Amino acid sequence: MPYAKIIGSGGYLPPRVVSNDQLAADLATRQIETSDTWIVERTGIRQRHIADEGTTTSMLATKAAQAALEDAGITADELDLIIVATSTPDFVFPSTACLVQANLGSKGGAAFDVQAVCSGFVYALTTADAFIQAGRAKTALVIGAEVFSGILDWSDRGTCVLFGDGAGAVVLKASDEPGIIAAQLNADGSQMKILAAAGNVSHGKVTGDPFLRMDGQAVFKLAVTSLAKSAKEVCEQAGIGLDEIDWMVPHQANIRIINFLSRKLGVPDDKVIVTVDRHANTSAASVPLAFDVARRDGRIKSGDTVMMQGVGGGFTWGSVLVKM
Ligand code: UT7
């Protein structure tokens, strides 16, 4: 059975950077109080990239995809599978993956979206891995892309300071050499209400709530316990110890969640990739963006064992172990 090997990665962030101070000043004009100190202490976030109005998820996804294809040294014609993980698609349909396929000028093969919110990228990566292992695809593009700024209630300081926009992508190729060595995904739909954007387009109107709502403390607790359990399980599946992991690339939601998790697992801080300070929480894009940053700055190298982890609405969570 072939392995799915990562042969390239790419990322794209919209150019507009909004610092905590800028956001606090903007919210203050609407009598909403927040501060750089509160945001940094509670989350580790210092800034986020925000897409201009009219910039869509497929636009960000296409840029990240182009960077990943260039890094992999292949053309879009070679792709036989495109999966986009997103909860902020351009349209109800067609899927964002189909829009990206058209933008790249790629023809043939399958293209579809996966929706598992902030776990979306690990869900999509695991899906592509299964296609490659089963011989149903040879060269896959897996993207996490979001314009979360479009579903934020900018009068809710408990959520609007936490998120940002962006896209990250990897190219996978069928290989005899190890690539993805283990994966495990989970969901608990009974926790659907703790993180949701419970709106819908129906009968010509938006029904329900078009904005993201979150019980931050419930998400926080569940994120730490579920990711710790998932990390141990995925290592057990691969037959390796946690101490054999070279790099942990956790979902970038909150530095406190990341620190709690790595300490619970006994993974030293210098093995944990952190971008939440610069990117904020970009949902499905956070893991591939952080992965790409660490590959490009030379930390993640060929031969390294990398654990990627996602957690978010659904409630969903999961881990993927990759041999580079
Ligand atoms: O991808 C998964 C997505 N989500 C997450 O990972 C989020 C997980 N949760 C968290 O990161 C944290 O729960 C938050 C950062 C969201 C909140 O931190 P917290 O330490 O749980 O704060 P809290 O909700 O208990 O709020 C503490 C206080 C409250 O004021 P009072 O009631 O003590 O007077 C809030 O109203 O902080 C207030 N507060 C703020 N103050 C200034 C909430 N948001 C803000 C804000 N600026 N932006």
Side-chain angles (χ1 to χ4, degrees):
M1 221 159 36
Y3 287 101
K5 191 150 190 76
I6 296 180
I7 60 161
S9 66
Y12 181 76
L13 293 154
R16 184 153 61 98
V17 176
V18 179
S19 69
N20 289 344
D21 282 333
Q22 284 169 304
L23 183 55
D26 181 46
L27 292 176
T29 62
R30 284 174 281 142
Q31 277 70 55
I32 300 161
E33 202 188 313
T34 191
S35 64
D36 176 58
T37 309
W38 191 96
I39 301 169
V40 172
E41 273 177 8
R42 303 285 174 132
T43 71
I45 295 166
R46 294 183 182 277
Q47 62 172 46
R48 71 281 298 137
H49 290 248
I50 299 289
D52 288 332
E53 227 175 300
T55 298
T56 65
T57 296
S58 71
M59 294 178 193
L60 305 186
T62 301
K63 297 252 195 207
Q66 284 162 337
L69 289 170
E70 194 186 323
D71 184 46
I74 67 160
T75 64
D77 298 337
E78 293 172 61
L79 297 171
D80 50 13
L81 176 65
I82 300 174
I83 307 180
V84 176
T86 187
S87 297
T88 49
D90 292 25
F91 305 128
V92 173
F93 64 83
S95 69
T96 309
C98 285
L99 306 180
V100 170
Q101 190 205 39
N103 290 344
L104 294 176
S106 162
K107 287 195 174 63
F112 59 91
D113 289 359
V114 159
Q115 208 254 46
V117 203
C118 304
S119 312
F121 185 74
V122 294
Y123 266 67
L125 200 56
T126 306
T127 307
D129 176 43
F131 267 69
I132 288 176
Q133 281 194 47
R136 300 206 190 286
K138 283 198 166 49
T139 313
L141 175 64
V142 183
I143 308 169
E146 306 278 14
V147 179
F148 250 51
S149 57
I151 57 164
L152 297 176
D153 176 353
W154 290 96
S155 66
D156 173 12
R157 68 178 181 172
T159 54
C160 74
V161 302
L162 305 176
F163 295 91
D165 302 329
V170 299
V171 178
L172 296 172
K173 198 163 178 61
S175 167
D176 294 333
E177 283 172 34
I180 293 175
I181 50 173
Q184 71 108 229
L185 304 177
N186 312 270
D188 178 0
S190 71
Q191 300 290 341
M192 67 176 105
K193 289 196 176 144
I194 64 171
L195 178 51
N200 187 17
V201 180
S202 170
H203 301 288
K205 332 185 263 272
V206 175
T207 57
D209 188 344
F211 296 124
L212 177 153
R213 305 291 175 200
M214 179 175 71
D215 176 345
Q217 289 188 0
V219 172
F220 195 109
K221 284 183 202 139
L222 214 48
V224 175
T225 51
S226 58
L227 288 183
K229 191 164 176 281
S230 175
K232 288 178 187 154
E233 284 175 13
V234 83
C235 285
E236 229 170 82
Q237 199 189 109
I240 66 165
L242 277 161
D243 56 340
E244 291 174 68
I245 289 170
D246 296 301
W247 297 105
M248 214 170 110
V249 188
H251 172 47
Q252 307 286 317
N254 183 318
I255 192 66
R256 286 160 57 221
I257 295 180
I258 295 173
N259 288 343
F260 265 108
L261 177 66
S262 56
R263 274 154 216 175
K264 214 173 154 89
L265 295 173
V267 175
D269 287 353
D270 60 3
K271 287 186 168 189
V272 183
I273 307 298
V274 174
T275 51
V276 68
D277 52 332
R278 287 161 283 161
H279 299 173
N281 181 350
T282 56
S283 189
S286 95
V287 170
L289 270 169
F291 173 79
D292 183 58
V293 165
R295 260 192 88 234
R296 282 175 194 263
D297 68 20
R299 278 179 290 173
I300 296 179
K301 296 178 296 296
S302 177
D304 284 353
T305 303
V306 180
M307 181 170 66
M308 302 191 201
Q309 291 202 293
V311 60
F315 201 72
T316 56
W317 67 100
S319 308
V320 177
L321 267 184
V322 187
K323 192 95 188 149
M324 297 298 300

